[in-house]
Amino acid sequence: RALRLAGGQSRCEGRVEVEQAGAWGTVCDDAWDLADADVVCRQLRCGRAVRVHGAAAFGRGSGPILRDEVGCEGHEEHLWDCPAAPEHDCSHKEDAGVVCSEHQEWRLSGGRDGCAGRVEVFFRGTWSTVCDSTWYKLEASVLCRTLGCGEPLRQLSFGHTLPGRMLYQCESQQPSLAHCQWTYNKSAPCHQSRAAGVVCNGTGP
């Protein structure tokens, strides 16, 4: 048996999919809650669950619906250790999903559109700013591309007003900043830093 998340922006968010007897299937959202999602996140080494989704929020899956009325207590090692209904009355429009704490997503806030502004990262259940001490053209380029915003035009500087701080260092062009080296809430490298911002040359979705 195997477990994965599909349809998300990283391996730590998406539609819950289970492999059984060689076929991948989905989980129905009936009674799907944080305790169930916590087991999924921990099993995938993705931390804990920070958001629970139903109603095929990450798109409709295919194949059999392998779990319904999942009833984890939250401490189980695997999703299949949890009780579940043997029969289901679901369709793929009820596929369950989860966002785990180790997932990272980004936004630019306070600019004219979604392609300009202060860099903010959602990580471990909260939005944080990004320290500009190692924020250069390469890091800005990775972010602009990830957001579908083209390439960076210029860098901006803001104050840190959110509780957390993230630091990124990319060695080369990567699919997202999560693939670069990063440290979270380490005060030394962020000492006396400002919050990074960028104007990308594209326009927001």
Side-chain angles (χ1 to χ4, degrees), residues 27-127:
V27 173
C28 183
D29 64 10
D30 294 345
W32 183 251
D33 61 18
L34 266 173
D36 307 322
D38 263 336
V39 173
V40 168
C41 292
R42 201 170 56 249
Q43 187 178 340
L44 292 172
R45 294 191 174 84
C46 285
R48 59 188 175 82
V50 292
R51 294 184 196 146
V52 177
H53 290 284
F58 293 100
R60 296 182 184 197
S62 57
I65 293 165
L66 294 171
R67 288 281 180 288
D68 185 19
E69 302 284 351
V70 177
C72 302
E73 288 178 21
H75 56 74
E76 292 87 351
E77 199 174 334
H78 303 103
L79 185 62
W80 41 84
D81 298 336
C82 303
E87 303 291 320
H88 73 80
D89 53 359
C90 305
S91 69
H92 282 298
K93 69 173 189 285
E94 296 170 83
D95 284 343
V98 60
V99 180
C100 303
S101 59
E102 295 303 294
H103 166 68
Q104 294 181 32
E105 64 188 70
W106 302 270
R107 68 184 180 195
L108 293 173
S109 78
R112 51 161 205 264
D113 60 20
C115 288
R118 184 171 73 174
V119 182
E120 296 176 359
V121 53
F122 184 78
F123 179 62
R124 295 185 185 161
T126 185
W127 287 97

Side-chain angles (χ1 to χ4, degrees), residues 108-154:
L108 293 173
S109 78
R112 51 161 205 264
D113 60 20
C115 288
R118 184 171 73 174
V119 182
E120 296 176 359
V121 53
F122 184 78
F123 179 62
R124 295 185 185 161
T126 185
W127 287 97
S128 298
T129 44
V130 173
C131 305
D132 68 359
S133 29
T134 57
W135 183 264
Y136 301 111
K137 180 105 192 239
L138 180 57
E139 286 77 14
S141 173
V142 170
L143 178 66
C144 289
R145 290 187 188 188
T146 302
L147 294 176
C149 290
E151 291 293 334
L153 277 179
R154 66 175 190 272

